[in-house]
Amino acid sequence: MDKAQSEEAGSPSARAVLVDLRERISSQTLLPGARITEEEVAKAYNITRAKAREVLATLEDRNLIERIPNRGAVVAFVDMEATYKLYEVREALDGLTVRLATQNTKPEDWKDMQESLGEPFERSLREGDIDGHIATIERFRGRLRQAADNDTLTDLSERVYERTRVTIRRVALLPGRAEMGITQYRAVLAAIVKGDADEAEQKIRELNRSAREYMLRYKNFVL
């Protein structure tokens, strides 16, 4: 593991270390199979072994790492079958998230996202800025979870997202998928702004189903 910078005010909290490691695992900065030890985590983040143990236990609970005899904790692998099942769960969770977000907000709450999902969304794809394009999607999904205002739902959604993040990026790179996604995300937002929870849920479910279809069609390029 690369050494991470500690917070200036002292060692970071277990929560801060957990968030950083989750990000590094889900973005594949730490690759599947990479070994992670308590000692390495404690040293890299300047935290106690007890705090490092707590972080690793949480990562294991979220299925981001697994314990292997004679090797210890390693970043977990996700195969096609498991990923497809995660996408099925994500469809259901996203449907409820969008429904609650629609019910809990007013049209004017989404003006900034209407702008973000407008021309800048297309321009990032046109200019090959995939990181920026996906960042817009992540920001929209984050706003949906925030608007849904359901801590249990957010926790479940984040667990699924963390285990599918790398495939989300790869699916977005498949032929025609990102262009279709632009239309679909805009349709979801339009339904939310109209206040139509049924339509919003239907649109996000369609988006997820089409992503699964692309994933299966190009499975050799996804995993």
Side-chain angles (χ1 to χ4, degrees):
M1 287 178 58
D2 294 332
K3 185 172 178 60
Q5 292 184 340
S6 300
E7 294 177 348
E8 293 182 3
S11 64
S13 66
R15 171 66 181 173
V17 175
L18 176 63
V19 168
D20 187 63
L21 283 173
R22 282 163 50 188
E23 168 69 20
R24 296 175 71 190
I25 291 170
S26 63
S27 65
Q28 285 206 331
T29 301
L30 286 173
L31 293 171
R35 190 165 175 263
I36 305 179
T37 68
E38 286 180 16
E39 182 179 4
E40 288 175 332
V41 172
K43 183 177 181 180
Y45 292 93
N46 190 28
I47 59 175
T48 65
R49 289 285 292 270
K51 193 180 289 187
R53 192 176 306 119
E54 176 187 346
V55 169
L56 292 181
T58 303
L59 291 173
E60 185 176 16
D61 177 62
R62 287 177 172 262
N63 296 311
L64 292 176
I65 65 172
E66 56 185 338
R67 307 279 181 174
I68 297 180
N70 302 320
R71 286 200 64 194
V74 301
V75 177
F77 289 87
V78 179
D79 60 23
M80 176 58 72
E81 181 179 359
T83 300
Y84 188 87
K85 290 178 179 178
L86 287 168
Y87 268 72
E88 289 180 321
V89 173
R90 194 183 79 165
E91 179 183 332
L93 294 175
D94 281 357
L96 179 56
T97 298
V98 167
R99 175 172 289 278
L100 292 176
T102 305
Q103 294 169 347
N104 293 342
T105 58
K106 303 181 292 294
E108 54 267 30
D109 295 332
W110 299 97
K111 285 184 178 179
D112 61 326
M113 284 312 311
Q114 285 178 299
E115 293 178 3
S116 295
L117 291 178
E119 200 279 332
F121 198 33
E122 289 186 34
R123 185 172 65 248
S124 61
L125 182 61
R126 187 170 61 246
E127 295 178 352
D129 182 11
I130 297 300
D131 288 338
H133 189 76
I134 293 177
T136 299
I137 293 173
E138 292 179 344
R139 186 163 64 254
F140 180 42
R141 286 182 170 274
R143 285 286 298 281
L144 290 171
R145 290 193 294 271
Q146 181 181 25
D149 193 24
N150 185 306
D151 291 341
T152 300
L153 179 59
T154 293
D155 179 64
L156 292 171
S157 296
E158 288 181 348
R159 286 171 180 260
V160 171
Y161 173 76
E162 287 162 1
R163 296 180 64 197
T164 58
R165 185 180 182 193
V166 67
T167 58
I168 290 171
R169 178 183 177 83
R170 292 176 182 175
V171 169
L173 291 170
L174 296 175
R177 175 58 206 158
E179 290 81 2
M180 180 184 293
I182 289 174
T183 300
Q184 291 175 325
Y185 276 110
R186 286 174 174 172
V188 172
L189 182 57
I192 293 172
V193 171
K194 283 196 306 182
D196 191 333
D198 289 338
E199 183 180 351
E201 180 175 353
Q202 176 190 340
K203 295 300 182 183
I204 197 70
R205 284 180 174 273
E206 289 174 358
L207 186 155
N208 278 287
R209 282 195 293 272
S210 66
R212 287 207 315 273
E213 290 168 1
Y214 263 83
M215 184 180 70
L216 288 177
R217 190 185 314 168
Y218 297 96
K219 61 183 179 181
N220 292 335
F221 298 94
V222 175
L223 292 176

